[in-house]
Amino acid sequence: MEMENAEAKQSIPLLSPYKMGRFNLSHRVVLAPLTRQRSYGNVPQPHAAIYYSQRTTPGGFLITEATGVSDTAQGYQDTPGIWTKEHVEAWKPIVDAVHAKGGIFFCQIWHVGRVSNRGFQPNGQAPISCSDKPLMPQIRSNGIDEAMFTPPRRLSIEEIPGIVNDFRLAARNAMEAGFDGVEIHGANGYLIDQFMKDTVNDRTDEYGGSLQNRCKFALDIVDAVAKEIGPDRVGIRLSPFADYMESGDTNPGALGLYMAESLNKYGILYCHVIEARMKTMGEISACPHTLMPMRKAFKGTFISAGGFTREDGNEAVAKGRTDLVAYGRWFLANPDLPKRFQVDAPLNKYDRPTFYTSDPVVGYTDYPFLESTA
């Protein structure tokens, strides 16, 4: 039986082993970072230990939900933080639960920038961004509520090193909590993406204008975090082609390629990129761009995300388009996703209405596993 399983895995590209720097992965199916909004008062909760450990396999790679680096980083109800001692202590048992099952666990560190309002900010102040361009109100993911955003305050050049330092300290805290590394959230229209994208960034100082200047903030953070915890424990997530939260770029191909090439200077572990076909959240659209130029340029591990099925995930790995594939909604709904891919089992359907509700069980830890075949 063991031999049969081993043979089955070899013939499924997603289930082949992979060496990611110091980490020996047993397969290439990654738990994508997924906001779940169940960290009451920004403190990670015991139910997260169940949720993450359910999705852990020996040698599997998991990335946490986006985790705030400071008290100005928040823009959603009950998302976790990692800027206080209390946060660090609350993460420890969650990390331990993943490690107990042999998983490799990175914390995604995040600042929302202008995707916020006064209600989430200290002393009711305005959110911060590279610009003072306001965001239009947006329908929330549940399709009903409208998110209102407070016009942001443009960061002065003197303030930027302090924000970079917040990411450095968050990375240090993540290591103290026991994580194996961090993923810098540079995607999806949040603060780092706001700096990179030319439709948002209208600065005229060294952090705006040219492509190089717009990427300086992101690369300053990569540099600081890599120096703090070691580049072999650092990844970054990018979405150059996406236009989430009114953060599009007029030349996304050049942006992605410049970032992929620039990251090589720091020797970081991986680059995690959202497929060009995912222009808006959760919707696949026809698109002429591919990630191949970035894939070829970046020297470390390459992770692709965005609308993958078992079939096209296998194809992407088999054809060398990526090393690892991150799955979000399917992994959320199928805690044993690698096992299901192995036996080509049907998948549980995901329940979108409970993605962001606060119940600690329903839509969170109650998705069924395949019946044990022992």
Side-chain angles (χ1 to χ4, degrees), residues 39 134 141 155-156 162 174 276 301 310 316 322:
S39 299
S141 321
L155 284 164
S156 73
T301 293
R310 176 183 188 268
T322 195

Side-chain angles (χ1 to χ4, degrees), residues 15-30 58-62 103-104 301 303 323-324:
L15 298 181
S16 60
Y18 177 78
K19 187 161 173 54
M20 180 174 75
R22 66 169 74 214
F23 305 107
N24 293 310
L25 307 187
S26 62
H27 60 81
R28 298 168 188 244
V29 180
V30 178
F61 181 42
L62 297 84
I104 291 118
T301 293
I303 308 178
D323 297 309
L324 310 174

Side-chain angles (χ1 to χ4, degrees), residues 100-166:
K101 289 179 76 174
I104 291 118
F105 204 15
F106 274 39
C107 182
Q108 192 194 57
I109 53 177
W110 177 53
H111 195 301
V112 298
R114 67 176 183 168
V115 186
S116 188
N117 64 47
R118 291 183 190 281
F120 292 112
Q121 295 298 315
N123 311 315
Q125 66 196 37
I128 54 175
S129 183
C130 59
S131 166
D132 51 17
K133 286 184 190 170
L135 261 183
M136 296 299 289
Q138 311 229 351
I139 296 294
R140 285 209 185 275
S141 321
N142 63 13
I144 305 156
D145 301 326
E146 194 172 46
M148 303 302 284
F149 304 105
T150 304
R153 180 177 69 76
R154 181 192 303 267
L155 284 164
S156 73
I157 196 159
E158 294 76 22
E159 291 175 289
I160 289 175
I163 309 297
V164 173
N165 195 50
D166 288 338

Side-chain angles (χ1 to χ4, degrees), residues 34-45 48 52 64-70 73-84 87 90-91 94 107-110 179 364:
L34 297 166
T35 291
R36 302 305 312 272
Q37 296 187 238
R38 288 161 166 88
S39 299
Y40 314 135
N42 306 128
V43 179
Q45 298 293 309
Y52 285 111
T64 68
E65 61 213 280
T67 300
V69 299
S70 71
Q74 303 297 317
Y76 300 86
Q77 194 67 39
D78 296 333
T79 50
I82 191 143
W83 74 88
T84 73
H87 297 153
W91 273 117
I94 302 168
C107 182
Q108 192 194 57
I109 53 177
W110 177 53
F179 283 105
Y364 191 57

Side-chain angles (χ1 to χ4, degrees), residues 114 130 133 186-189 192-202 207-216 238-259 276 278-280 287-289 294:
R114 67 176 183 168
C130 59
K133 286 184 190 170
N188 296 2
I192 294 172
D193 205 27
Q194 289 157 32
F195 270 85
M196 285 191 278
K197 299 288 180 66
D198 65 1
T199 64
V200 186
N201 187 336
D202 55 2
Y207 288 94
S210 69
L211 175 58
Q212 290 78 0
N213 285 6
R214 284 182 280 116
C215 293
K216 178 172 162 49
L238 301 170
S239 59
F241 296 97
D243 188 8
Y244 304 138
M245 296 295 173
E246 297 169 41
S247 293
D249 196 83
T250 57
N251 193 347
L255 170 60
L257 187 57
Y258 176 76
M259 281 299 292
M278 305 300 285
K279 221 170 172 55
T280 56
C287 155
H289 299 287
M294 291 182 74

